[in-house]
Amino acid sequence: MPKASVIIAAHNGAAFITDAVHSVFAQTEQDLELIVVDDASTDQTPELVQKLLQAAPIPAVYLRNETNLERCHSRNRGASCARAEYLFFLDHDDLWTPDHIATMLRTFQGTQADMVCAILRSKVDTTGKLIYTSRKVLPDDVGILACSALIGGTPGVAFRKEKFLQYDDTFRFREDWELVLRAFLSGLKIAPCDSDTVRVREHHRRSSTANPRYYHASRRILETYRAKIPRHYQPFFDFEIGTAALRHGDLWHGWHLSLRALYHSPELRQNSRNWLLLLKRGFRLDRWLSPSLRFP
């Protein structure tokens, strides 16, 4: 039985999936299996993946959805087939450094966590060249990290298989944040891993935070989880959704949530980055005037 299973959900990922798969093959931890779930791709993804897996240095499985069932279903399908104790998730357009899995496994072993979340600090371009690394100082409190959506990005997530909660297929955007919130609220032990081993790729087809569906999902998370968030963490939760509202031109909800969060949290008030974020997003009249972007 392998130590870790890697699940890649792919849909029309021909442009980048070779790099993603090679980053799995290049891991220093080689006691792995790879499961690629092809979500009814119509490009060259099936041919590329099957060719890659034929030469795989680790056990590898190719699964295909005959219809497009979206990434939550595909990740859950891969997880249900996994044989290892630990589950790792990677999007078809992202990359890991060679020490990613080994580093995350050490965090599991050192903390006895149910879920480990790598901090996503670095972004690369379409060629894989590093374009940005965040130096933002983050809090140690896992509750703040979870409620502020600072952890939980899919390529940074790993679970003990027995503790995996599954992605909620009713969320097509922000499903990664929804999962980490649900894990936190259900009492799973979550450990952050700030080792900069994930490379998130920027490209024009990536699911954009500017997409109105991103904000609609944020509002749904607000309605679903606000009353369940422990009181101490509610300001961080409100500020995350408030600033998303401002970005999308929902100025009334955005300012209401953001100012309420600042009023109740000295920690948020004392962070100059938060004030700069409000100045940057708080006057998006262009989006407020656009019916295609404004939340009804």
Side-chain angles (χ1 to χ4, degrees):
M1 179 183 297
K3 185 178 294 184
S5 298
V6 178
I7 295 105
I8 299 179
H11 176 69
N12 290 345
F16 304 117
I17 195 165
T18 297
D19 289 346
V21 170
H22 280 161
S23 79
V24 176
F25 291 167
Q27 292 297 301
T28 56
E29 173 59 66
Q30 283 287 291
D31 190 8
L32 310 174
E33 69 173 357
L34 172 62
I35 302 169
V36 179
V37 184
D38 175 8
D39 193 22
S41 294
T42 56
D43 64 358
Q44 298 301 308
T45 297
E47 293 82 0
L48 282 172
V49 170
Q50 291 180 73
K51 184 177 180 180
L52 286 165
L53 299 193
Q54 285 174 3
I58 58 176
V61 177
Y62 171 78
L63 303 173
R64 179 175 171 83
N65 300 330
E66 292 308 316
T67 58
N68 183 225
L69 298 172
E70 297 287 349
R71 53 200 176 196
C72 290
H73 177 92
S74 298
R75 292 171 190 150
N76 292 339
R77 182 182 180 190
S80 69
C81 297
R83 299 179 298 139
E85 180 182 359
Y86 299 97
L87 303 178
F88 286 75
F89 296 90
L90 180 63
D91 288 334
H92 73 249
D93 47 359
D94 296 326
L95 306 164
W96 290 332
T97 61
D99 58 339
H100 173 73
I101 290 179
T103 301
M104 297 279 280
L105 288 175
R106 285 196 296 271
T107 303
F108 271 114
Q109 293 155 8
T111 62
Q112 297 302 303
D114 302 310
M115 177 184 188
V116 173
C117 294
I119 306 296
L120 308 187
R121 290 193 176 272
S122 292
K123 295 184 178 181
V124 297
D125 64 14
T126 55
T127 68
K129 180 180 179 182
L130 184 67
I131 55 176
Y132 175 74
T133 298
S134 171
R135 304 297 179 189
K136 182 178 180 180
V137 177
L138 298 179
D140 295 326
D141 189 323
V142 171
I144 295 177
L145 293 174
C147 293
S148 300
L150 293 171
I151 56 174
T154 301
V157 164
F159 275 91
R160 293 185 188 272
K161 185 180 181 183
E162 63 183 12
K163 299 294 185 177
F164 178 53
L165 300 179
Q166 297 202 332
Y167 286 90
D168 185 340
D169 196 37
T170 65
F171 281 86
R172 299 297 169 88
F173 278 75
R174 307 223 71 177
E175 78 288 346
D176 47 1
W177 187 30
E178 190 280 334
L179 177 63
V180 78
L181 277 175
R182 190 157 31 96
F184 172 67
L185 292 173
S186 68
L188 293 191
K189 184 175 182 179
I190 303 172
C193 182
D194 197 1
S195 55
D196 193 27
T197 57
V198 179
R199 300 291 180 264
V200 176
R201 196 189 300 268
E202 289 289 299
H203 58 89
H204 73 282
R205 292 186 59 200
R206 189 170 194 93
S207 297
S208 173
T209 56
N211 189 311
R213 293 170 63 194
Y214 180 93
Y215 178 47
H216 294 180
S218 299
R219 284 290 300 273
R220 187 171 162 219
I221 286 175
L222 175 70
E223 294 159 3
T224 303
Y225 289 108
R226 177 55 164 71
K228 302 174 184 178
I229 300 292
R231 186 171 182 178
H232 173 70
Y233 299 120
Q234 285 178 353
F236 301 94
F237 179 81
D238 288 347
F239 194 78
E240 165 60 25
I241 297 178
T243 53
L246 293 176
R247 179 173 187 161
H248 286 264
D250 187 356
L251 301 185
W252 190 91
H253 281 108
W255 279 110
H256 173 72
L257 288 167
S258 299
L259 293 177
R260 181 172 72 181
L262 292 167
Y263 176 80
H264 287 288
S265 173
E267 188 171 348
L268 285 171
R269 290 198 303 273
Q270 293 163 9
N271 189 331
S272 60
R273 285 176 176 264
N274 293 333
W275 295 102
L276 292 172
L277 188 61
L278 288 180
L279 290 174
K280 178 181 178 181
R281 297 186 179 180
F283 305 96
R284 295 304 303 267
L285 295 179
D286 58 327
R287 300 219 169 159
W288 180 76
L289 293 170
S290 172
S292 65
L293 290 173
R294 187 172 62 222
F295 190 83

